[in-house]
Amino acid sequence: MFKKILIANRGEIACRVIRTARAMGIATVAVYSDADARSPHVMLADESVRLGPAPAAESYLKAELILLAARETGADAIHPGYGFLSERESFARACAEAGIAFIGPPPNAIAAMGDKIESKKLAKDAGVNVVPGFLGEIADTEHAVRIAGEIGYPVMMKASAGGGGKGMRLAWSEADVREGFEATKREGLASFGDDRVFIEKFIQDPRHIEIQVLGDQHGKVLYLGERECSVQRRHQKVVEEAPSPFVTPAMRRAMGEQAVALARAVGYYSAGTVELIVSGADPTGESFYFLEMNTRLQVEHPVTEEITGLDLVEQMIRVAAGEPLSFEQDDVRLNGWSVETRVYAEDPYRGFLPSIGRLVRYQAPEPVADEAGRVRVDDGVAEGGEVSMFYDPMIAKLVTWAPTREGAIDAQVAALDGFRIEGPGTNLDFLSALMQHPRFRDGALTTGFIAEEYPEGFHGAPAEPELLRILAAVAAFVATAEADRARRIDGQLGRRLPPPGEWQVRIGGEDRHVVVDTDAVTVDGVGVELEMEYTPGDRIVTVEAPEALTIRLARTRGGWRLSTRGAAHEVRVVPGHAGALTRHMIEKVAPDLSRFLIAPMPGLLVRLDVGEGDRVEAGQALAVVEAMKMENILRAAKSGTVKAVSARTGDSLAVDAVILELE
């Protein structure tokens, strides 16, 4: 067994690998960029080595620096995690040449599966179902248009070396191909150094289901069930679960056997994932097709661990050390249900724009582990740390397990409310809304779920009238406690007045009359069952009303923002005697910004299609901003003439920076 492992990664996956290695009695080495010098993975490891500046291209993607760090620290193995160098054949070969074990598959398997075009050819030869498409070289946009027409719309354009949702465009028409083909090539080149693109038929009502495989160096390859990964946004997974509510035992066996056949065909060992696209319109489950094989550990691997009881990182380490798998296919049992949600630094109320900055507060829900259910948080951040523009904006992964799917989902809702994150915006409300959505709970999922259910964007989960009554009561209770503390401050003029007990609370567009006294709370004259403790300064409270609620509180001008059950509710609270006067207050009208083209996120202006004096039409593409290596097309909100241009191609833009003005 290895004595020391270097983790060629950062964040939560680095912490994840370190914890397992420590449990196995193996020493660990962390590597870091300047942006991560004080990150948790650096503090958790036994040793650490600086790689270089913050950009990944100058640190985590420098294979020679990582190998040098391994030699200098005496590490006899390297775990690549996911992303960065994890699927780079040249890195795996360099490890072998340096006499350092690569904790992953052999280089030839990475090469075979890393090229999406060649991998589909191999899959077809191995007897695996593949999606109809064109796998050859595509010369230019005109060639792409001809191919798409022959396949039949809709089609998907994908960067051959792509992954993680980057370098993908869906085309419903010739116009979409003409607009998106070159962008797909650029994204592939920027993210993966390869601008080749292939085109395939887009499966309608598709479900994204993947099979976890695990093999050793002695020829044994097993499948560990499936994961449902259909809930995606811009081709990036948001929610994963295992098993899938769509997959029957017969489907699982057929998918698993094909995945194993593909792994055997390329001499695969270690952990890997075969991704499939499945037609949700075919209840037989026979319409499943190979998408790609990820020759690494997946972000969503914890849900498989929760239902199988296996530690996949431990298995990868043991396989890399030459040990045979200690179990057979018949020993793999799927127990209960597990759901994972990805907590991102992004603002769902502003179109999911990336949100970077310092984590002023970070508190995760307490872990739970018993027979009734489990709550697990995999993270790699700490309070006071920073969500950097240089890396993926994921803050944490929340994983729950329960004997039933409904139980695992309910545990997600409760645990999501238990996060306290201040600083960058987060998608906590959105994740909670997904967990409560009737269609999600029914398991009627497709990869278009989010686009179909939130076509106008996300504005918070709908709240039942009873929940609004409870929140009004909570806001009044909190206001009473705050007023009581204020009256006790020493040195005030006059006698101490009792705190107000009568309030006007505005929530959900309605004013409610709330009375708080020593033994009851009433809302509009009706009693509310409410048990809670609040000390001024608390930012999370637990309420029994009578169902348990966890509520995050944030002070606002004139009231509070109460966040729970998938929505943030702006609540105005004023003493009852002042409530009648609020109707005389002038409402502030937001300025009209429609004549400006504004950067919706921090990013790089990579293209500007118009200049001063040009006439533009509503919906016309005006500029392209790159953020997190994704290109975002900015369009005109209305017709007009360009009055002034405030930015140039190549400029780094701050959020809300003005790019141009129309008249």
Side-chain angles (χ1 to χ4, degrees):
M1 182 49 66
F2 306 120
K3 295 180 179 178
K4 186 182 292 186
I5 294 174
L6 182 145
I7 298 90
N9 218 296
R10 63 177 299 279
E12 65 86 15
I13 186 56
C15 293
R16 165 76 185 86
V17 176
I18 290 169
R19 282 191 289 267
T20 287
R22 177 172 291 175
M24 297 175 70
I26 302 172
T28 56
V29 180
V31 292
Y32 63 91
S33 71
D34 289 343
D36 286 335
R38 298 179 180 178
S39 292
H41 78 280
V42 177
M43 304 298 140
L44 193 60
D46 298 298
E47 299 175 64
S48 60
V49 178
R50 177 186 177 271
L51 293 176
E58 300 176 45
S59 51
Y60 295 107
L61 289 172
K62 288 274 191 180
E64 65 275 16
L65 295 180
I66 290 171
L67 288 169
L68 178 61
R71 286 194 292 268
E72 289 180 344
T73 57
D76 47 357
I78 293 177
H79 195 301
Y82 47 71
F84 295 138
L85 299 173
S86 62
E87 293 182 282
R88 189 169 292 184
E89 173 209 3
S90 60
F91 181 61
R93 290 193 187 281
C95 289
E97 291 168 2
I100 300 171
F102 179 75
I103 302 177
N108 62 299
I110 297 175
M113 293 293 102
D115 187 313
K116 291 189 178 182
I117 294 174
E118 293 304 316
S119 67
K120 287 180 183 296
K121 294 176 181 177
L122 282 167
K124 189 173 183 179
D125 291 342
V128 179
N129 304 341
V130 296
V131 179
F134 183 82
L135 302 180
E137 289 282 338
I138 301 176
D140 51 29
T141 300
E142 293 303 322
H143 190 195
V145 167
R146 289 198 302 274
I147 291 168
E150 291 168 2
I151 295 173
Y153 293 100
V155 297
M156 182 69 80
M157 298 176 288
K158 296 184 180 180
S160 178
K166 296 181 177 68
M168 299 176 70
R169 287 287 192 285
L170 176 60
W172 294 89
S173 65
E174 179 179 325
D176 291 342
V177 176
R178 292 188 182 280
E179 183 177 274
F181 180 73
E182 289 299 328
T184 305
K185 291 187 69 173
R186 285 195 301 271
E187 285 186 5
L189 186 63
S191 296
F192 311 104
D194 186 342
D195 68 353
R196 290 178 302 155
V197 173
F198 69 95
I199 299 177
E200 65 184 12
K201 180 72 175 175
F202 178 70
I203 306 299
Q204 298 194 57
D205 293 332
R207 300 181 80 114
H208 187 126
I209 295 172
E210 58 190 33
I211 302 294
Q212 176 72 59
V213 296
L214 182 65
D216 61 24
Q217 299 187 49
H218 306 278
K220 184 187 294 184
V221 184
L222 311 175
Y223 64 91
L224 308 181
E226 79 283 351
R227 295 186 287 259
E228 174 78 65
C229 305
S230 297
V231 181
Q232 304 177 3
R233 194 184 65 79
R234 294 186 68 175
H235 309 297
Q236 291 187 307
K237 299 162 189 172
V238 178
V239 179
E240 302 97 355
E241 60 181 303
S244 164
F246 183 72
V247 173
T248 64
M251 288 171 62
R252 182 175 300 120
R253 187 179 309 108
M255 292 175 175
E257 288 174 354
Q258 286 200 14
V260 167
L262 177 60
R264 290 187 189 281
V266 295
Y268 197 90
Y269 57 77
S270 192
T273 298
V274 176
E275 301 201 357
L276 306 169
I277 188 167
V278 182
S279 173
D282 182 2
T284 68
E286 296 177 358
S287 301
F288 63 87
Y289 307 97
F290 172 77
L291 273 179
E292 62 181 328
M293 184 174 188
N294 290 312
T295 55
R296 54 169 168 80
L297 196 65
Q298 291 280 86
V299 177
E300 58 272 18
H301 74 274
V303 293
T304 296
E305 293 182 327
E306 291 297 320
I307 65 167
T308 61
L310 296 169
D311 183 327
L312 291 181
V313 173
E314 178 185 349
Q315 295 300 322
M316 292 179 74
I317 293 171
R318 293 191 181 283
V319 166
E323 294 185 12
L325 293 178
S326 61
F327 54 93
E328 304 294 332
Q329 186 66 61
D330 289 344
D331 297 322
V332 178
R333 296 280 189 270
L334 307 187
N335 175 37
W337 217 283
S338 184
V339 178
E340 175 183 293
T341 53
R342 304 187 187 190
V343 179
Y344 278 112
E346 62 185 13
D347 189 346
Y349 296 101
R350 295 188 64 195
F352 298 92
L353 298 179
S355 180
I356 60 176
R358 191 161 303 283
L359 286 165
V360 179
R361 294 284 182 270
Y362 177 73
Q363 178 181 320
E366 290 295 323
V368 176
D370 56 43
E371 293 183 0
R374 295 191 290 271
V375 174
R376 163 181 168 182
V377 178
D378 284 11
D379 58 21
V381 300
E383 189 166 290
E386 188 169 354
V387 179
S388 169
M389 64 179 287
F390 297 104
Y391 313 118
D392 186 274
M394 186 167 68
I395 296 173
K397 301 185 306 195
L398 174 65
V399 185
T400 57
W401 176 91
T404 65
R405 183 172 185 265
E406 184 179 40
I409 294 171
D410 288 342
Q412 279 280 334
V413 175
L416 285 166
D417 283 340
F419 275 99
R420 181 187 175 191
I421 303 175
E422 296 177 18
T426 72
N427 64 341
L428 288 170
D429 286 347
F430 180 64
L431 295 175
S432 182
L434 289 177
M435 294 296 100
Q436 298 172 75
H437 198 290
R439 180 175 159 190
F440 178 82
R441 297 184 80 93
D442 289 343
L445 308 176
T446 70
T447 55
F449 174 85
I450 290 176
E452 292 160 6
E453 297 301 324
Y454 301 95
E456 304 300 323
F458 177 71
H459 306 289
E464 296 291 331
E466 182 59 22
L467 177 59
L468 294 180
R469 289 183 68 249
I470 292 168
L471 293 179
V474 168
F477 187 95
V478 168
T480 300
E482 293 279 348
D484 186 53
R485 182 183 68 167
R487 79 185 183 91
R488 296 175 186 274
I489 296 174
D490 234 3
Q492 299 187 81
L493 294 176
R495 62 187 179 86
R496 290 180 176 176
L497 299 173
E502 186 177 344
W503 303 90
Q504 185 191 80
V505 178
R506 186 169 185 81
I507 183 172
E510 295 183 8
D511 290 325
R512 298 167 186 268
H513 180 248
V514 185
V515 177
V516 179
D517 60 31
T518 54
D519 54 10
V521 179
T522 61
V523 178
D524 296 331
V526 180
V528 174
E529 291 185 47
L530 189 70
E531 291 184 21
M532 64 177 286
E533 291 185 5
Y534 173 76
T535 301
D538 287 350
R539 290 297 176 262
I540 290 185
V541 295
T542 300
V543 178
E544 297 289 338
E547 188 177 308
L549 277 177
T550 300
I551 303 172
R552 299 190 300 277
L553 303 100
R555 199 77 159 103
T556 62
R557 186 176 180 179
W560 299 87
R561 180 182 301 111
L562 305 183
S563 301
T564 189
R565 291 298 191 264
H569 302 273
E570 298 291 338
V571 185
R572 187 187 67 192
V573 187
V574 296
H577 67 272
L581 304 177
T582 58
R583 60 190 178 90
H584 298 295
M585 296 178 67
I586 299 173
E587 292 288 339
K588 185 176 180 180
V589 179
D592 179 15
L593 299 177
S594 62
R595 73 178 190 275
F596 297 103
L597 183 69
I598 295 174
M601 69 199 78
L604 182 70
L605 183 61
V606 296
R607 201 177 82 208
L608 187 60
D609 296 334
V610 294
E612 190 172 322
D614 289 351
R615 176 71 185 175
V616 302
E617 301 298 329
Q620 179 181 335
L622 302 182
V624 176
V625 173
E626 181 187 286
M628 304 289 183
K629 294 188 178 179
M630 297 283 282
E631 290 192 357
N632 303 272
I633 299 173
L634 306 185
R635 302 179 184 276
K638 65 179 183 180
S639 300
T641 301
V642 179
K643 177 182 179 182
V645 177
S646 305
R648 294 180 300 177
T649 301
D651 284 357
S652 291
L653 303 174
V655 64
D656 293 333
V658 174
I659 299 171
L660 57 84
E661 181 182 357
L662 301 176
E663 61 178 358

